[in-house]
Amino acid sequence: MIASHLIAYLFTELNHDQVQRIDKYLYHMRLSDETLQEVSLRFRREMEKGLGAETNPTASVKMLPTFVRSTPDGTEEGDFLALDLGGTNFRVLRVKVSDNGSQKVEMENQIYAIPEDLMRGSGVQLFDHIAECLANFLDKLRIKDKKLPLGFTFSFPCQQTKLDESILVTWTKGFKSSGVEGKDVVSLIRKAIRKRGDFDIDIVAVVNDTVGTMMTCGYDDHNCEVGLIVGTGTNACYMEEMRHIDLVEGDEGRMCINMEWGAFGDDGVLNDIRTEFDRDIDMGSLNPGKQLFEKMISGMYMGELVRLVMVKMAKEELLFGGRLTSASGCSLNIREKEGLQKAHEILTKLGLDPSHEDCIATHRICQIVSTRSANLCAATLAAILRRIKENKGVDRLRSTVGVDGSVYKKHPHFARRLHKTVRRLLPDCDIRFVRSEDGSGKGAAMVTAVAYRLAAQHKARQKTLDPLNLSYEQLLEVKKRMRIEMEQGLGKETHDSATVKMLPTYVCSTPDGTEKGDFLALDLGGTNFRVLLVRVRNGMRRGVEMHNKIYTIPQEIMQGTGEELFDHIVHCISDFLEYMGMKGVSLPLGFTFSFPCHQNSLDQGILLKWTKGFNASGCEGEDVVGLLKDAIHRREEFDLDVVAVVNDTVGTMMTCGYEDPYCEVGLIVGTGSNACYMEEMKNVELVEGDEGRMCINMEWGAFGDSGCLDDFRTEFDVAVDELSLNAGKQRFEKMISGMYLGEIVRNILIDFTKRGLLFRGRISERLKTRGIFETKFLSQIESDCLALLQVRSILQHLGLESTCDDSIIVKEVCTVVARRAAQLCGAGMAAVVDKIRENRKLNFLKVTVGVDGTLYKLHPHFSSIMHETVKQLSPKCEVTFLQSEDGSGKGAALITAVACRIREAGQR
């Protein structure tokens, strides 16, 4: 047959009439953009089939996982070996990769022949020969004593189950070694090396030549995520999102897919664009019905396509005056590029007597065949790039395709036509094409180098993150220490020195369902505060109805005098009563005051210290209920019965207690963290009386301030604490609450980046800014439905150019930090519920915890991890967690309602 080289070397000055005649004759080979878009769409469907677990067995495009999970990032370094086996000769390479400021690759290689008798002999003999050649190469370089990592390019159809295991499906390219098909070729090499015993190597990866091409180009261009070969045969590979690969477990990160796209059309989806010449080539091939796409575009078949067209046209007397010779079917390799004169020589050697018009026509046939090849290749490549664009969720894709193969490299127009068509089919993408130099061997070494880099970096990161991964025994120890601190806070003699203060709240009962009446509630804990009317009904119409208005507190009032602050609060209460049409009505009021207070009774709260930006003078050390009452009397418009002052944790418990009578614990895990629970009065030594129970506001955020958690705190906890506004205080809170988790993550990311384990060692200025990594990012990053797209978006917002690997690492850091927070919180809660059980001398306790806070509510995994930890650490307790809705204000009203119920019962 006429070799494909002929297509490349014919002259371009064509006779117009002759061109029209050929174009009409080969009309079906000329594909419009509309047809190419349709081919692209069909290929996309075939990709989906190949990726699906159920559809893969019948898919023609097999989409084989390669277990190559990352492309080079430029920081790879080391000394590697590579084996490149794909024909009668094979190569052994030594590849040195260095990253001392500038990327550098040095290669030495040796080509070894494989005798024909070994290609068709036993597999044992073949792999013994390969091992012998390896030994010879190592001897020559005097490195036989080194155990170097090796990457193996094995360009035969294989099924991979992991990076260093590849099962040969079938021999091709003239090989027929027995006992190899169905076996792992890596095991066979290892066995041959062990049998020799004179050297050892670490076989890390086995890849095919397409993957090698992508990895070689990826070292020089980090946007390279597609490999393409168009030579004697053709194939492509690309980096696919793990979540779309049903054939492999796991849904994070990416993996290179070896498409085996030459089989596209084997199921008939290209029948409408295949011509009679394509069908003739297929029927005469060694594998009829197989690799139909490859037979339309690759170098092995293009020359034969041209020959078949010429034969038919000659038979129809459209070429060579209708004369055919026996030489018309011979093969001829053409190496020069001369024009019509050379064409005349080629055709004459074939025994033809070509006219000038025959030479022009032959050139045009070559041009149409090669253009169709380039266009079909572009259509399928466009499908891959479109998929990558959708996977990334970007408006405009910037990507690079690494290319190898004799047709792409040697044909004078193929590459240009391919590029032009891809760009026409994908106007919203910026695609760069990079030619691979020495793709296969260097690529195998690069896969190995990347695998080594990833393993080393993973080991270094795990060493840093290990202290954040708490064992069951460690969590039990945290629970035990929390219990000790609780006892100290409750004790009269130890209370002053205790860090967990265990403050009495004088709330001595939870709702029992008989509460009723109208109550006012104030909820003050930030720059906005709420006034609420809460109507509590019992009996058949049992329930809570609420009305509220939000008011702002201007900065100047927050920083002014106490009189101004409480006058403003009373003015807002007056406005609310007027708004509700209740001016002049005197109602019981509950006051949620979320600042540190010391209580001596339910309706008294001594402000210890302003926080959250408040600094009103004349308030610290004073009873806030008294300050509120004074302001009400100054206004002389209405009177209110301030029954209770509570913090938000107690309010949460009371709100949930109204819904669930088993609720005796309150927990908040939001910006800050705290807990409260119903303690036996006999254990509350700061308050007189032994009968009944009282709610204890634990102020557990200060757990660890005594140093009892120092062995659990990491360097990152210490850094966050030292730069906080209250260094040395609230250490437990700084390990578990929303205000600090993002900052812990940021410190870890900076550490990783400085050590070259993340973002290629480049820190953005924004990442250096304290507080820039918000805790809400942890919730967003760990949302399963968003995969890694959300991570990339957040990192871009922080000025960080991240790879898919970077996103996985950031997600892992967020997961570890949030998991530890949830486990520590669970350990603290386990101490609380076990204390309640032991207080009551029960073998088994059923209790409900009312919970509020953004971290608990919004983080996708925090609550479930915390629940599981409590279950593990307190197996004798059945703990239900009830999420509070509108805890603070409603809770204050319910505390007031309970106090009024008890007061009325006492008056009877």
Side-chain angles (χ1 to χ4, degrees):
M1 67 179 174
I2 295 177
S4 59
H5 296 81
L6 175 62
I7 301 168
Y9 304 136
L10 298 180
F11 195 63
T12 55
E13 296 173 1
L14 306 178
N15 177 284
H16 182 67
D17 291 339
Q18 187 79 338
V19 168
Q20 281 195 323
R21 185 157 54 91
I22 302 297
D23 285 0
K24 188 175 179 183
Y25 195 83
L26 296 179
Y27 174 77
H28 293 297
M29 278 196 176
R30 303 193 63 204
L31 306 175
S32 66
D33 279 1
E34 189 179 349
T35 302
L36 293 175
Q37 291 284 17
E38 175 60 28
V39 170
S40 192
L41 184 64
R42 292 178 196 177
F43 187 70
R44 181 68 184 272
R45 290 194 203 109
E46 294 297 306
M47 289 170 68
E48 300 282 358
K49 274 191 203 173
L51 288 169
E54 291 181 9
T55 48
N56 176 271
T58 57
S60 55
V61 180
K62 283 299 178 189
M63 306 294 284
L64 302 172
T66 66
F67 297 86
V68 171
R69 297 174 185 267
S70 181
T71 53
D73 73 355
T75 64
E76 290 78 16
E77 54 188 338
D79 199 353
F80 306 97
L81 292 172
L83 263 184
D84 187 2
L85 178 62
T88 52
N89 293 330
F90 78 100
R91 283 191 309 162
V92 185
L93 305 93
R94 182 187 189 182
V95 182
K96 289 183 180 176
V97 185
S98 54
D99 177 38
N100 50 358
S102 60
Q103 294 172 215
K104 190 178 175 186
V105 178
E106 297 174 68
M107 294 198 298
E108 300 171 83
N109 73 89
Q110 178 77 45
I111 295 174
Y112 294 93
I114 300 180
E116 198 163 324
D117 59 321
L118 286 183
M119 290 170 64
R120 291 173 171 76
S122 76
V124 172
Q125 291 172 319
L126 173 65
F127 285 98
D128 282 350
H129 175 69
I130 292 169
E132 186 179 336
C133 295
L134 251 174
N136 172 268
F137 182 76
L138 297 173
D139 264 336
K140 284 179 75 173
L141 295 183
R142 297 180 181 174
I143 53 172
K144 213 171 186 181
D145 57 329
K146 292 185 178 182
K147 185 179 180 179
L148 294 177
L150 178 140
F152 184 18
T153 306
F154 189 72
S155 300
F156 299 91
C158 287
Q159 184 77 43
Q160 278 192 256
T161 51
K162 51 188 178 180
L163 187 59
D164 64 346
E165 184 176 271
S166 193
I167 313 297
L168 176 64
V169 176
T170 179
W171 280 119
T172 57
K173 306 175 186 180
F175 279 75
K176 267 293 173 194
S177 295
S178 61
V180 182
E181 290 181 357
K183 300 282 179 65
D184 170 29
V185 294
V186 175
S187 295
L188 294 173
I189 290 185
R190 285 177 176 151
K191 192 173 179 181
I193 291 169
R194 276 198 304 272
K195 190 161 64 174
R196 289 183 61 89
D198 58 339
F199 71 94
D200 196 10
I201 54 173
D202 180 13
I203 302 175
V204 174
V206 58
V207 297
N208 74 4
D209 49 358
T210 319
V211 179
T213 295
M214 181 189 76
M215 295 298 276
T216 297
C217 297
Y219 184 69
D220 299 312
D221 183 332
H222 301 149
N223 282 321
C224 185
E225 49 198 337
V226 182
L228 170 65
I229 288 183
V230 195
T232 309
T234 183
N235 194 16
C237 68
Y238 75 104
M239 297 301 291
E240 175 60 87
E241 303 293 316
M242 281 288 291
R243 67 184 187 275
H244 296 148
I245 308 172
D246 288 353
L247 306 174
V248 179
E249 284 187 14
D251 59 2
E252 290 204 339
R254 301 194 299 170
M255 181 181 286
C256 180
I257 292 294
N258 165 26
M259 305 183 74
E260 293 295 341
W261 79 355
F264 176 39
D266 288 6
D267 57 357
V269 298
L270 293 180
N271 284 354
D272 56 332
I273 63 166
R274 291 175 71 227
T275 65
E276 59 183 296
F277 308 111
D278 296 308
R279 286 188 280 276
D280 286 347
I281 276 189
D282 180 43
M283 291 303 292
S285 68
L286 294 171
N287 56 347
K290 305 291 183 187
Q291 300 295 101
L292 297 184
F293 185 61
E294 183 170 79
K295 288 168 184 171
M296 295 171 82
I297 70 170
S298 76
M300 182 175 278
Y301 302 99
M302 277 197 281
E304 181 65 359
L305 269 173
V306 170
R307 187 188 74 82
L308 289 172
V309 172
M310 288 167 63
V311 167
K312 188 175 184 202
M313 289 184 76
K315 282 180 179 176
E316 296 178 18
E317 300 189 355
L318 297 172
L319 272 180
F320 312 122
R323 295 185 305 280
L324 283 171
T325 71
S326 59
S328 298
C330 75
S331 174
L332 189 65
N333 281 326
I334 312 297
R335 304 211 180 273
E336 296 83 5
K337 299 183 183 178
E338 293 85 352
L340 290 182
Q341 183 183 344
K342 190 63 187 176
H344 189 276
E345 285 177 25
I346 294 166
L347 295 171
T348 302
K349 280 183 182 177
L350 289 171
L352 298 163
D353 183 17
S355 66
H356 180 72
E357 286 75 19
D358 289 335
C359 293
I360 292 172
T362 302
H363 174 275
R364 184 59 176 167
I365 294 166
C366 291
Q367 192 181 57
I368 289 171
V369 168
S370 65
T371 299
R372 183 185 73 154
S373 171
N375 285 346
L376 284 172
C377 191
T380 45
L381 191 55
I384 297 169
L385 293 162
R386 176 73 63 199
R387 182 173 180 86
I388 291 172
K389 180 178 181 291
E390 289 172 12
N391 282 347
K392 289 185 175 180
V394 293
D395 294 329
R396 190 168 191 88
L397 175 70
R398 284 185 66 238
S399 190
T400 298
V401 180
V403 202
D404 205 348
S406 53
V407 173
Y408 182 88
K409 287 182 171 179
K410 293 181 179 177
H411 190 287
H413 306 298
F414 186 94
R416 179 179 55 81
R417 288 171 186 155
L418 173 71
H419 304 170
K420 194 173 176 183
T421 307
V422 166
R423 286 164 185 151
R424 209 167 57 242
L425 297 177
L426 294 172
D428 54 352
C429 298
D430 298 317
I431 308 303
R432 182 171 180 245
F433 291 84
V434 174
R435 275 170 56 146
S436 166
E437 302 303 331
D438 196 60
S440 308
K442 182 178 171 184
M446 279 303 153
V447 173
T448 307
V450 168
Y452 256 64
R453 169 177 61 80
L454 292 177
Q457 290 178 339
H458 178 73
K459 188 176 178 182
R461 285 192 301 270
Q462 289 312 305
K463 189 176 178 182
T464 301
L465 294 177
D466 270 349
L468 290 149
N469 289 308
L470 303 179
S471 66
Y472 171 75
E473 289 73 25
Q474 286 176 304
L475 292 169
L476 268 180
E477 184 60 29
V478 171
K479 173 190 170 185
K480 177 182 162 187
R481 294 180 196 181
M482 174 68 87
R483 178 65 179 271
I484 293 168
E485 295 289 309
M486 289 169 71
E487 301 287 359
Q488 288 181 349
L490 288 169
K492 197 168 187 176
E493 291 182 8
T494 50
H495 173 81
D496 287 346
S497 61
T499 52
V500 180
K501 283 298 181 188
M502 306 295 284
L503 302 171
T505 66
Y506 296 87
V507 171
C508 295
S509 180
T510 53
D512 67 1
T514 65
E515 294 79 14
K516 62 178 180 178
D518 290 356
F519 306 93
L520 279 179
L522 281 183
D523 186 1
L524 177 64
T527 51
N528 293 330
F529 81 104
R530 288 188 307 160
V531 185
L532 306 93
L533 172 66
V534 182
R535 292 194 161 119
V536 184
R537 301 284 176 260
N538 64 6
M540 294 290 287
R541 293 171 56 234
R542 182 176 181 272
V544 177
E545 177 190 330
M546 293 196 302
H547 306 272
N548 73 87
K549 266 186 92 172
I550 296 173
Y551 296 90
T552 59
I553 301 178
Q555 188 78 20
E556 62 270 18
I557 289 179
M558 289 169 65
Q559 306 287 333
T561 66
E563 275 195 10
E564 288 169 337
L565 172 62
F566 282 93
D567 283 347
H568 176 70
I569 290 169
V570 171
H571 167 75
C572 296
I573 295 171
S574 174
D575 175 79
F576 179 75
L577 291 171
E578 193 170 324
Y579 167 74
M580 294 299 299
M582 300 179 71
K583 206 69 177 276
V585 176
S586 180
L587 293 175
L589 180 139
F591 189 8
T592 303
F593 188 74
S594 300
F595 298 90
C597 286
H598 176 75
Q599 286 189 254
N600 291 314
S601 64
L602 183 60
D603 62 352
Q604 183 193 62
I606 310 297
L607 176 63
L608 299 176
K609 185 182 179 184
W610 280 121
T611 57
K612 306 174 187 179
F614 280 75
N615 199 24
S617 61
C619 297
E620 290 181 0
E622 299 293 328
D623 173 21
V624 293
V625 174
L627 295 174
L628 179 63
K629 285 179 175 177
D630 289 346
I632 292 170
H633 294 150
R634 279 197 298 274
R635 192 167 180 91
E636 296 183 342
E637 270 185 26
F638 54 86
D639 197 17
L640 294 172
D641 178 14
V642 183
V643 175
V645 59
V646 297
N647 76 3
D648 48 359
T649 317
V650 181
T652 296
M653 181 189 75
M654 295 300 276
T655 298
C656 295
Y658 185 74
E659 307 294 331
D660 183 341
Y662 286 102
C663 184
E664 299 183 76
V665 185
L667 171 66
I668 288 184
V669 199
T671 309
S673 181
N674 194 15
C676 67
Y677 73 103
M678 297 302 293
E679 177 60 87
E680 306 299 311
M681 278 292 291
K682 64 178 183 287
N683 295 332
V684 186
E685 294 183 10
L686 299 179
V687 179
E688 288 184 10
D690 289 341
E691 295 297 317
R693 295 170 188 149
M694 180 181 287
C695 180
I696 294 296
N697 166 24
M698 296 178 67
E699 291 294 340
W700 81 357
F703 176 40
D705 290 5
S706 62
C708 68
L709 290 180
D710 283 359
D711 51 336
F712 290 99
R713 293 169 77 224
T714 66
E715 60 184 290
F716 309 108
D717 297 306
V718 172
V720 169
D721 179 34
E722 285 177 350
L723 290 171
S724 67
L725 295 172
N726 56 346
K729 306 291 184 187
Q730 301 294 100
R731 288 181 174 179
F732 187 59
E733 182 171 79
K734 287 169 185 171
M735 296 170 83
I736 67 172
S737 77
M739 182 174 275
Y740 303 98
L741 296 191
E743 190 61 6
I744 294 172
V745 168
R746 187 185 72 86
N747 275 273
I748 296 172
L749 299 186
I750 285 176
D751 175 73
F752 281 0
T753 309
K754 283 179 178 175
R755 290 159 58 199
L757 305 175
L758 187 63
F759 306 134
R760 296 177 193 152
R762 300 176 199 138
I763 302 178
S764 76
E765 286 303 313
R766 283 178 65 76
L767 190 62
K768 292 178 185 175
T769 309
R770 278 183 60 222
I772 197 75
F773 200 98
E774 300 172 47
T775 296
K776 69 176 182 182
F777 292 163
L778 274 76
S779 299
Q780 293 168 353
I781 283 170
E782 288 203 69
S783 294
D784 296 326
C785 60
L786 295 170
L788 296 174
L789 292 179
Q790 184 71 29
V791 189
R792 296 286 288 272
S793 170
I794 289 167
L795 295 177
Q796 280 172 1
H797 167 71
L798 296 175
L800 293 160
E801 280 192 31
S802 62
T803 63
C804 181
D805 294 336
D806 291 331
S807 299
I808 294 171
I809 293 162
V810 171
K811 186 171 182 182
E812 183 187 10
V813 172
C814 290
T815 299
V816 169
V817 170
R819 181 178 181 81
R820 183 189 67 156
Q823 288 178 321
L824 287 172
C825 194
M829 189 48 59
V832 173
V833 295
D834 258 348
K835 183 162 186 2
I836 294 172
R837 182 182 63 78
E838 289 170 23
N839 282 346
R840 298 173 192 179
K841 297 179 172 56
L842 297 172
N843 289 324
F844 190 81
L845 172 72
K846 184 175 180 182
V847 68
T848 297
V849 178
V851 200
D852 204 350
T854 50
L855 187 59
Y856 181 88
K857 287 181 172 180
L858 300 180
H859 191 281
H861 310 301
F862 187 97
S863 58
S864 58
I865 293 168
M866 190 189 86
H867 300 169
E868 185 59 33
T869 304
V870 174
K871 189 176 179 180
Q872 285 178 340
L873 300 182
S874 297
K876 294 181 179 178
C877 298
E878 182 187 323
V879 185
T880 303
F881 292 85
L882 182 60
Q883 200 163 290
S884 164
E885 301 302 329
D886 196 58
S888 308
K890 182 178 174 183
L894 285 168
I895 289 168
T896 306
V898 170
C900 290
R901 166 174 62 79
I902 292 168
R903 189 165 63 186
E904 286 168 14
Q907 289 171 352
R908 289 194 192 108

